[in-house]
Structure formats: C-alpha cells, structure tokens
Amino acid sequence: MSEKRLRVVVLISGRGRNLQSLINRAAGDLPAEIVGVISNRPRAAGLARADKAGIPTVVIDHADFESRAGFEAALQAAIDNFEPGLVVLAGFMRKLGDDFVAHYPGRMINIHPSLLPAFRGLDTHERALEAGVKEHGCSVHFVTEKLDGGPIIAQMRVRVEDGDDPEALAARVLTYEHELLPAVVHWFAEGRLRINDGGVEMDGMTLMAPALLEMEAR
Ligand code: GRF
C-alpha cells in the first residue's frame, strides 16, 4: 500500500511551518509521503522539523556555488535522487531558472502568500496593507518559468482586519496556508490535478478560475 503513495520532496529556506503542516497531514489521511526535505540555507529551522519526523534532509547551500546554474544542477540532482512525483516549494526563497523549472513540468507547486496574480514576489502583506485591499489570502500554483505566475490551482481568501499590521496579517494568512497546501497535495496525490496548455485541469475539466477553499475544507 505504502509504495502507492505519492513521493513528495519539499524545498524550504526558513521556518518550515508549511512543511510542518504537510508532515502533520502525511501522518494522517494524506495519500502522500514526504521522502525528502531540501534547504538552500544550512540554518533553516525547518530542517529540525524534518529530522524530528524522521525525514531525510539535504542542504544545498546556494552560497557554495559561483553560478546559479551550478546551484541548480546540484539541487536538481538532490531532488531527483529522491525520485519524487511532486516537488513542493514551501517557503523556498530562491528564484529558479527556466531549465530547472522545465525539468519538473506539471509536478512542481509553490505556495504564495497573496491572492495571485496580485502581489507577486516579496513583502506581500506589507504591500497588501499599503494598497488598502479588504481581502488578502494565499495561493498554490504550478511552477512555471514566470515567477509566481504559473497556473493557479487553488486559493483561500483572508479578510484584512482594521488595525492589522504586516505581522498580524502574515500570521493569519499562514493559518490558511496550512489548510491550502495539504489540500492541494492531497488532490495531486489522488491524480485529480494536471497542468494543461497553461491552465489547470481538475477531475478532467479545465478550471475557469482557481478553486476556492473555505477554512473547514480539506
Ligand atoms: C510562507 O508565507 C510562504 O507562503 C512564503 O514564505 C512563508 C514561509 O513560511 N513563500 P514557512 O517557512 O512555511 O514557515
């Protein structure tokens, strides 16, 4: 039975709280197994979370490489060594080159803390507050060569409250991220998701808009 579970490699750079949400869910009903965790930062706190869960970790420190190509070749080798069916970027903070991305067509996803296409890139919570939006949120999308611009699979909306500062908003959005990411991995593991012609196919139908999850949804 266990050999039928989706093999997932998770890439992190920092705290790894999204990683933790996957670890927790993989111990439960998620038909997927996290077979490896890779960090580009040796001190990423998320590495300890993987260790604690008995998941093999690898550090590919970008600072050890003179070129991005060299870093990405090492990263690709480390990922492929785990023979994953899905690669999850969970707070992985390096831009990835076109060749690297093209190596994982339709099998690499990223979680981003905004309602894409709004607020691609960094500092999304600050920028959302500055823009005065009433609704913020998080998105999971397939990774393509366009930064934070691949086909969006699913989103959760989060209300911006009066008095929110970036930290408060980030913390609230993160609780939603912890629902959204395992839910999308679950769908992928069940074979329900596919990338097609720049769009997302779910259960054989092209999504006209990202799937919208509510907090209770799994
Ligand atoms: C999350 O908000 C994720 O969406 C963003 O970076 C943050 C990572 O947090 N890309 P963590 O490492 O999962 O705690």
Side-chain angles (χ1 to χ4, degrees):
M1 186 68 191
S2 68
E3 66 274 10
K4 293 216 173 116
R5 300 173 93 206
L6 176 73
R7 295 174 63 82
V8 178
V9 165
V10 183
L11 270 53
I12 61 167
S13 297
R15 301 164 302 184
R17 287 184 286 187
N18 276 300
L19 165 66
Q20 188 67 56
S21 75
L22 287 174
I23 291 172
N24 296 348
R25 208 59 76 77
D29 63 348
L30 193 67
E33 182 182 358
I34 305 170
V35 292
V37 170
I38 303 175
S39 171
N40 66 309
R41 294 216 173 98
R43 281 187 234 286
L47 289 168
R49 298 177 188 270
D51 280 342
K52 200 167 165 212
I55 300 167
T57 61
V58 178
V59 173
I60 308 289
D61 188 347
H62 60 273
D64 291 342
F65 297 86
E66 282 178 12
S67 69
R68 187 163 83 174
F71 165 66
E72 291 186 352
L75 183 60
Q76 185 177 309
I79 294 171
D80 292 353
N81 197 34
F82 288 115
E83 302 183 340
L86 179 68
V87 180
V88 176
L89 309 186
F92 184 71
M93 305 304 282
R94 299 299 291 179
K95 285 184 189 169
L96 295 167
D98 293 1
D99 289 347
F100 180 90
V101 170
H103 188 67
Y104 303 97
R107 57 189 188 104
M108 186 184 287
I109 61 173
N110 179 46
I111 177 124
H112 182 79
S114 79
L115 291 175
L116 290 169
F119 310 118
R120 291 183 173 132
L122 298 174
D123 303 324
T124 57
H125 310 298
E126 287 88 334
R127 288 158 59 211
L129 290 172
E130 273 165 29
V133 295
K134 295 277 168 266
E135 207 172 46
H136 189 40
C138 47
S139 308
V140 173
H141 63 91
F142 281 113
V143 177
T144 63
E145 64 290 337
K146 200 168 166 198
L147 182 71
D148 298 328
I152 305 165
I153 302 165
Q155 296 182 317
M156 289 181 89
R157 297 173 189 269
V158 179
R159 194 143 45 108
V160 177
E161 307 284 359
D162 289 345
D164 265 345
D165 60 14
E167 290 70 34
L169 185 55
R172 190 164 344 104
V173 170
L174 204 58
T175 62
Y176 286 75
E177 294 182 40
H178 296 166
E179 291 297 314
L180 184 63
L181 184 59
V184 172
V185 171
H186 201 137
W187 296 340
F188 192 94
E190 290 176 329
R192 298 176 60 190
L193 282 178
R194 215 159 258 109
I195 193 169
N196 77 3
D197 288 338
V200 174
E201 205 176 284
M202 186 164 176
D203 298 334
M205 307 262 286
T206 299
L207 293 183
M208 303 308 286
L212 209 50
L213 262 74
E214 301 296 331
M215 195 48 160
E216 304 75 29
R218 286 280 156 90

